Each structure stands twice: as structure tokens, then as C-alpha cells.
Amino acid sequence: MKIKAQIPNLFTLLNLFSGCLAMVMVADYKFDLAFYFVCLGIFFDFFDGFFARKFNVAGPLGVQLDSLADMVTSGLVPGFVMLCLLSNINYPSFNYLPYLGFIITLGACYRLAKFNIDTRQSDSFIGLPTPANALFITSLPLVIAQYPSNFISEYLSNQWVLSAITFLSAYVMNAEIPLFSLKIKDFSFSKYKLQIFFLAVSVLMLILLQILAIPIIIIIYVLISVINNIVNKKASN
């Protein structure tokens, strides 16, 4: 067994381990640490693919490991976070409502299985990737903590708003919405102006808005992709 061939799998397992630690943090209501462990898992998730391509050792084992690790870090963790957010709301007549949070987990599972057999998503995505969705969901309790007494926390503490976010999350992950690729392979501004503009705006928003920028950036990413698809479709007709 070549050690080089196992390096990508090691990064995938570190992604899984980060997801396990995030689950522990969510169970202890340490949402900030859970968010950081999800970010760490996504970091490892990026580099497992990077090293697999770098060492030319990509294979079916790595694909399956990657999906299983993402199922925890980007599937189970955000579902559990949503369950906890819904559990914090006082609604005696809806005792089972928090379990709706796991609809996010079910949506992520379906998305990951579909991604493994979809040959159209080699360079870009169709539907929101599970890591992006995980960042969106796990950032919500941090946004509430950052803005404890204004309309943002009020809306994000409403069971109907959270329920709507839950269903939209599962839908957008599996929707037939082509999202523009964020991969920049050369420094051609004319070729990658949309990606460069989006990344520049994202960095600026992170500086100005901090954690609030995370869900806004992901929403903007989806909206820009939808608009870009409409413009390209009209241009081709």
C-alpha cells in the first residue's frame, strides 16, 4: 500500500473527525466551536480532493469516503443545529417540531448520493453543495448571538422562519439550479470577472459584517447564479 495514495483519505477522515467534534459541541450548545469545527472539516474536505488530483490517486474508495465524511460534517451537524434552534423556542403545542431540523440531514444525504453519480458536476455545481449549506445553517446561532436584541435575532428565533429555512435548505441542495464555478484556473479577468467580483464582495462583507456575512454570501451566491442562468439563456436564444 502506497503511503501517498492514503494521504487524501487521511484528510477525508480528518474531515469526519472534525464533524464528530462539531456534533459534541452542538450537544453542549457551544455553537461557536461547532461552527469552527465545521469550517475545519470543510478545509480538510477541500484538501482531500486537492491531494487526490495532485498525486493522481483519485478512486472510488475516496469518493465514498468523502461522501460519508460530508454526511456527518455537512449533513448531520447542520440538522442537529437546526433541531437545537427549534428546541429553544417555547411552543407547547408543537413538541415534535424541532425534529424537522433533520430534514436538512435527509436533504444532504440525498444530495451527496446524487452527486456521486452525476457526471455534470465536475467543474461546477447543480444545487447548493452540502458544505455551503452547512456553513449557512451553523452560522445562524452565531448571528443570533451577535445581534441578540434586534429584528435579525427576532426572525431567526421564530419557529415558522426556521421551519421555512429548513425546507428551503433541503430543496436548494437538490434543486436543478446550476451554480457558477468558483474555480479560477488562470488570471484572466474577462473570463472570470463574475467569480472575481463575487469573491471581492465576499471578502469585503466578511470584513464589515463578520459572521452575518456568511449566510448573506451564500444567499447572494445562489441569487447571482439564478440571474446569471437567466441572462445566459436569453443570450443563447
Side-chain angles (χ1 to χ4, degrees):
M1 183 185 295
K2 294 182 179 179
I3 295 178
K4 185 170 70 172
Q6 297 304 315
I7 291 177
N9 293 338
L10 174 61
F11 275 83
T12 304
L13 292 175
L14 287 173
N15 172 19
L16 175 58
F17 183 60
S18 300
C20 292
L21 293 177
M23 283 293 294
V24 174
M25 295 303 109
V26 176
D28 204 21
Y29 277 66
K30 296 178 180 177
F31 294 117
D32 53 343
L33 293 177
F35 176 79
Y36 297 141
F37 277 122
V38 167
C39 291
L40 185 62
I42 293 172
F43 171 83
F44 289 132
D45 184 40
F46 171 82
F47 276 102
D48 65 4
F50 172 82
F51 283 116
R53 293 186 295 270
K54 183 78 172 177
F55 299 146
N56 196 27
V57 293
L61 174 62
V63 172
Q64 300 307 317
L65 274 178
D66 187 70
S67 290
L68 290 169
D70 282 347
M71 187 57 223
V72 176
T73 305
S74 299
L76 192 56
V77 173
F80 193 19
V81 167
M82 183 58 73
L83 181 147
C84 292
L85 289 176
L86 287 166
S87 297
N88 283 340
I89 301 169
N90 184 23
Y91 42 86
S93 59
F94 297 98
N95 293 329
Y96 300 105
L97 190 62
Y99 296 105
L100 283 179
F102 284 128
I103 288 176
I104 295 170
T105 302
L106 302 182
C109 181
Y110 194 84
R111 154 83 193 183
L112 289 166
K114 191 168 67 169
F115 179 81
N116 284 350
I117 59 174
D118 192 342
T119 57
R120 300 172 297 168
Q121 302 191 55
S122 55
D123 292 324
S124 58
F125 297 107
I126 298 175
L128 186 65
T130 56
N133 184 69
L135 287 176
F136 180 90
I137 298 297
T138 57
S139 69
L140 295 182
L142 278 67
V143 171
I144 294 172
Q146 185 176 356
Y147 301 93
S149 37
N150 67 9
F151 73 96
I152 295 175
S153 60
E154 181 180 342
Y155 278 109
L156 292 179
S157 299
N158 181 283
Q159 66 265 35
W160 304 119
V161 172
L162 291 174
S163 298
I165 290 173
T166 297
F167 283 102
L168 281 172
S169 166
Y171 169 75
V172 173
M173 281 190 287
N174 292 283
E176 289 288 311
I177 303 174
L179 303 178
F180 67 89
S181 175
L182 292 175
K183 295 178 181 178
I184 300 176
K185 299 179 180 180
D186 56 57
F187 292 100
S188 172
F189 178 78
S190 59
K191 186 177 179 181
Y192 295 107
K193 55 180 181 250
L194 179 60
Q195 288 85 345
I196 293 171
F197 171 76
F198 175 75
L199 291 173
V201 170
S202 298
V203 171
L204 181 62
M205 290 180 65
L206 284 169
I207 294 171
L208 296 177
L209 301 178
Q210 300 175 30
I211 195 65
L212 179 60
I214 299 293
I216 295 176
I217 287 170
I218 294 169
I219 292 171
I220 290 175
Y221 177 48
V222 175
L223 291 177
I224 290 178
S225 295
V226 171
I227 295 170
N228 189 51
N229 294 335
I230 294 171
V231 171
N232 289 339
K233 188 174 181 180
K234 286 184 177 179
S236 62
N237 291 336

